[in-house]
Amino acid sequence: MRILVVEDEALIAQSIKAALQEAGFVPEVVSDGNTAWFQGGTEDYAAAVLDIGLPQLDGLSVLRNWRQEKVNMPVILLTAKGSWSERVDGIDAGADDYLVKPFHMEELIARLRALVRRSGVERTPQMAAKGLILDTRQMKVSVDGAPIKVTPLEFRLLNYLLHNRGRVVSQEELATNIYYQDQEPDSNAIEVLVGRLRRKLKAKIIETRRGFGYLIEADDPT
Ligand code: CA
């Protein structure tokens, strides 16, 4: 799941990036307001982490522009310590949550997960379909109760398909959402990855729609 990280302080940006990767997200870091405005408006992200003090265009203006252009992804603002007026302005501008600097990475991750959950269909850190259960807090996968060992990349693929269950996801969309910015996957990388996962899961959970992509069917509502 891609997360846009907008932060101009390189050290903070790096630690956010590392924490997000560790938590199974695919972060993309940009460091100025104009690039952020453009990226957020033209690319698909599950959420954004947005600093307020940015070069070129400040975070609040970026957020206002996004909301005006109907860019509706959940946004967490990073605000300066003690600046309550920034927080009020931020909520007014359309922020979903905010964190006061300096903050703990664990708190950022927890809030980000909650936001992504609220914007999707699931209400718990666990997602399930077809006997597959994925726990995004403990990074664990099981099928019919039996734990399955997966790599971080495999976890991100299952996470993305489950988050979008019931919808066919193309190979390109999968690749952009599970590989990091600086990784160039081979053309058949997704196919290989899905093949490996299918063998591990030992159940027909990931379906192929030839020419279109892959899907995990949603469970029938009962
Ligand atoms: Ca800043």
Coordinates of all heavy atoms in Angstrom, one line a residue, residues 7-9 51 53-54 101, ligand 1:
E7 N 8.0 15.5 3.6 CA 8.8 16.0 4.7 C 10.1 16.5 4.1 O 10.8 15.9 3.4 CB 9.0 14.9 5.7 CG 10.0 15.2 6.8 CD 9.7 16.3 7.6 OE1 8.8 16.2 8.5 OE2 10.3 17.4 7.4
D8 N 10.5 17.8 4.5 CA 11.7 18.4 3.9 C 12.9 18.1 4.7 O 14.0 18.3 4.3 CB 11.5 19.9 3.6 CG 11.1 20.6 4.9 OD1 10.3 20.1 5.7 OD2 11.7 21.7 5.1
E9 N 12.7 17.7 6.0 CA 13.9 17.4 6.8 C 14.4 16.0 6.5 O 13.6 15.1 6.9 CB 13.6 17.6 8.3 CG 13.6 19.1 8.7 CD 12.9 19.3 10.0 OE1 13.5 19.0 11.0 OE2 11.8 19.8 10.0
D51 N 3.9 17.2 6.2 CA 4.5 18.2 7.1 C 3.9 19.6 6.7 O 3.6 19.8 5.6 CB 6.0 18.2 6.9 CG 6.7 19.1 7.9 OD1 6.2 19.3 9.0 OD2 7.8 19.6 7.6
G53 N 5.4 22.8 7.5 CA 6.5 23.7 7.1 C 7.3 23.1 5.9 O 8.1 22.2 6.1
L54 N 7.0 23.5 4.7 CA 7.7 22.9 3.5 C 8.1 24.1 2.6 O 7.6 25.1 2.5 CB 6.6 22.1 2.7 CG 6.1 20.8 3.3 CD1 5.0 20.3 2.4 CD2 7.2 19.8 3.4
K101 N 5.2 17.3 16.4 CA 6.6 16.9 16.4 C 7.2 17.3 17.7 O 6.9 18.4 18.2 CB 7.3 17.7 15.2 CG 7.1 17.2 13.9 CD 7.8 18.1 12.9 CE 8.0 17.4 11.5 NZ 8.7 18.3 10.6
Ligands
CA1 CA 9.5 21.1 7.7

